[in-house]
Amino acid sequence: MKKVRLGIIGFGAQGSTYAEFINNERVEQMVVGAICDIDPTKREQVQHLYPEVPFFESYQALIDSGEVDAIVTTVPHYLHTEIGTYALMHDVHALLEKPGDIYGEKVQEISKLAQTKPHLTFGIFFNQRTNPLYQKVKELIDTGEIGNIRRTNWIITTWWRPQAYYDQSAWRATWAQEGGGVLVNQAPHQIDLLQWLCGMPEKVYSNIQYGYQRHLNVDDDVTTVLDYGNGATGVFITCTHDVIGTDRLEITGDKGKILVEDSSKLTITRLNESETEMNHNMSWNQAQEIFKGKTFNGVYTQENLEFNSIWGEQHINVLNNFAANIIDGTPLIAPGSDGVNGVNLVNGIYLSSWLGSEVTLPIDPQQFKVELEKQIITENNKK
Ligand SMILES: NC(=O)c1ccc[n+]([C@@H]2O[C@H](COP(=O)([O-])OP(=O)(O)OC[C@H]3O[C@@H](n4cnc5c(N)ncnc54)[C@H](O)[C@@H]3O)[C@@H](O)[C@H]2O)c1
């Protein structure tokens, strides 16, 4: 295969961006094979922009057409696994947009299907995994440089979205069509990174505000406590109403600490001896010297690194990596089956808020369905 012919399913904000990247030859091993949207007005747009590219009004027709080797699902969230499943069943490679689905169970099902199709590539669009900063953080943790993780804190409130954003498409910020708010639209990137870097918590306890600062039924403010089951804990905070938001990730281990600010500045603190050893070996007099600030510098070393990210680069990286996996088996940065953890975590965070209690992961999918259905019914009753 010379170049992967990508079928873009959903020609909205994201789908049209990917078409432009590919058309501008920013994705080396990919061409746009076909485009699909259920909105008939998109046909004219596509024909104007890409007269050579076939347009379909149903994803089945696009996948069955023989015009594509692979598809990407740039459609509302409930459709990702449905369309991905149809593609894999018809021997077409599938790249799911995030979140993999609203239900963890469905991501599990499509992952099992993908396992039975080893000749097909099944990926998920976690573009932030391609950021060299987070790859460095992963390497630091995986090689044990900061030791056993004791605490994770991520405050990610830089997802400011005005009401006009929510009002631009009817599916947004609804339980019935989007499946939630900031937790399923904006924060999946950080939720994936958190679990990719630090592993899955065993329990979560959350406080969520629904329609707190926007006219919505879904979440626009979330605070969650994570319990990793080994004494380690974490806090995850996100919202869409903080104009001057904060993006600060701290991962504390017994041998050091990682601080990421604005997803661009990385501060690595390495303890000369682990906190466990310090605690064991240090006399009270030595400790007092540290409190007075006299020998503090001898306790650790610090490294500061800066990473610059150009807009669009991460998405292009995912498309390049997906195409390379199809063509020559280059390992995937984000295999589709990895999508399940983030969705399971989000399912747990919602369920905890709806039940008003801590929940153990993975949650009972049936219970989640019942509780989500209640939100949809309440939403429908308000119409
Ligand atoms: N990876 C990222 O950084 C990133 C960024 C933004 C959005 N996204 C994801 O991309 C997806 C799309 O978001 P968007 O902002 O482009 O939404 P959008 O509303 O702008 O576009 C969605 C498009 O899908 C079409 N559509 C709906 N149902 C369809 C169907 N059954 N078949 C074909 N087309 C259908 C709609 O008509 C619309 O044109 C979402 O899952 C979102 O979370 C990912």
Side-chain angles (χ1 to χ4, degrees):
M1 188 188 298
K2 263 176 86 186
K3 286 196 177 189
V4 173
R5 297 169 305 158
L6 185 73
I8 297 176
I9 301 179
F11 194 69
Q14 211 59 15
S16 59
T17 303
Y18 299 159
E20 200 180 321
F21 288 155
I22 299 167
N23 193 53
N24 291 344
E25 297 183 0
R26 295 181 71 189
V27 186
E28 265 171 45
Q29 294 176 297
M30 208 171 244
V31 290
V32 180
I35 294 175
C36 159
D37 204 296
I38 48 163
D39 176 353
T41 65
K42 300 285 166 90
R43 179 185 287 276
E44 218 174 293
Q45 279 180 33
V46 169
Q47 281 173 348
H48 173 69
L49 289 166
Y50 311 110
E52 309 292 312
V53 175
F55 181 88
F56 297 89
E57 279 176 26
S58 90
Y59 70 79
Q60 293 94 339
L62 177 142
I63 290 167
D64 294 345
S65 69
E67 300 279 357
V68 302
D69 309 301
I71 54 110
V72 62
T73 63
T74 40
V75 287
H77 303 152
Y78 284 97
L79 292 164
H80 296 167
T81 53
E82 177 189 314
I83 296 174
T85 300
Y86 190 87
L88 294 179
M89 294 293 284
H90 291 79
D91 272 345
V92 167
H93 307 278
L95 177 57
L96 303 190
E97 254 302 350
K98 47 62 43 177
D101 199 281
I102 294 307
Y103 301 105
E105 210 184 2
K106 293 223 170 140
V107 188
Q108 195 89 45
E109 280 166 18
I110 191 174
S111 302
K112 278 192 191 149
L113 171 66
Q115 272 177 9
T116 68
K117 307 258 181 189
H119 58 293
L120 294 178
T121 297
F122 173 48
I124 184 152
F125 226 118
F126 284 138
N127 41 285
Q128 299 212 13
R129 283 194 188 189
T130 73
N131 182 339
L133 183 154
Y134 289 113
Q135 291 181 347
K136 173 76 181 168
V137 172
K138 181 151 179 65
E139 183 196 306
L140 289 167
I141 293 172
D142 289 353
T143 55
E145 281 219 39
I146 63 154
N148 293 327
I149 293 173
R150 293 181 173 185
R151 187 182 302 285
T152 67
N153 285 316
W154 203 336
I155 174 162
I156 172 71
T157 55
T158 50
W159 287 123
W160 184 72
R161 294 289 184 273
Q163 188 68 39
Y165 161 82
Y166 292 107
D167 295 343
Q168 67 176 309
S169 343
W171 68 279
R172 282 183 203 279
T174 60
W175 291 113
Q177 291 185 70
E178 178 154 16
V182 62
L183 276 175
V184 298
N185 194 317
Q186 288 80 25
H189 291 295
Q190 285 77 30
I191 286 186
D192 171 62
L193 287 176
L194 193 59
Q195 70 78 28
W196 185 57
L197 298 170
C198 304
M200 281 289 278
E202 283 192 0
K203 294 177 183 169
V204 295
Y205 181 66
S206 63
N207 180 322
I208 302 184
Q209 306 296 315
Y210 299 96
Y212 170 48
Q213 293 297 327
R214 300 288 180 269
H215 296 294
L216 311 169
N217 296 319
V218 296
D219 44 301
D220 57 355
D221 192 290
V222 178
T223 301
T224 297
V225 176
L226 312 164
D227 179 340
Y228 290 91
N230 58 358
T233 53
V235 177
F236 184 82
I237 296 172
T238 190
C239 77
T240 57
H241 59 81
D242 191 350
V243 180
I244 313 297
T246 301
D247 178 1
R248 183 182 170 94
L249 168 65
E250 275 186 25
I251 305 169
T252 309
D254 74 330
K255 286 162 91 182
K257 185 168 186 161
I258 290 167
L259 167 63
V260 181
E261 293 164 286
D262 302 322
S263 292
S264 63
K265 278 176 271 166
L266 173 61
T267 306
I268 309 158
T269 304
R270 296 176 175 92
L271 294 176
N272 294 343
E273 54 178 358
S274 74
E275 198 282 330
T276 308
E277 289 164 333
M278 277 174 70
N279 181 47
H280 186 258
N281 298 337
M282 199 169 276
S283 70
W284 176 231
N285 277 345
Q286 286 171 311
Q288 279 184 314
E289 290 299 302
I290 289 176
F291 298 152
K292 288 177 200 159
K294 283 189 182 156
T295 58
F296 203 65
N297 289 342
V299 170
Y300 64 83
T301 56
Q302 220 164 42
E303 187 182 359
N304 293 294
L305 300 170
E306 293 250 358
F307 294 79
N308 293 318
S309 187
I310 301 162
W311 185 85
E313 201 174 55
Q314 294 176 4
H315 297 87
I316 291 167
N317 288 341
V318 170
L319 292 169
N320 268 322
N321 175 248
F322 180 68
N325 182 272
I326 294 171
I327 290 170
D328 62 22
T330 299
L332 277 181
I333 293 167
S337 54
D338 279 15
V340 75
N341 285 341
V343 180
N344 277 342
L345 189 43
V346 167
N347 287 179
I349 295 171
Y350 279 130
L351 191 62
S352 165
S353 144
W354 295 332
L355 301 179
S357 61
E358 186 177 64
V359 299
T360 300
L361 300 177
I363 45 103
D364 172 6
Q366 198 49 40
Q367 188 180 22
F368 177 76
K369 248 184 226 169
V370 169
E371 293 299 324
L372 176 56
E373 194 55 37
K374 285 185 197 166
Q375 310 301 320
I376 294 172
I377 291 168
T378 311
E379 177 174 86
N380 287 339
N381 289 342
K382 283 187 187 168
K383 282 179 187 163

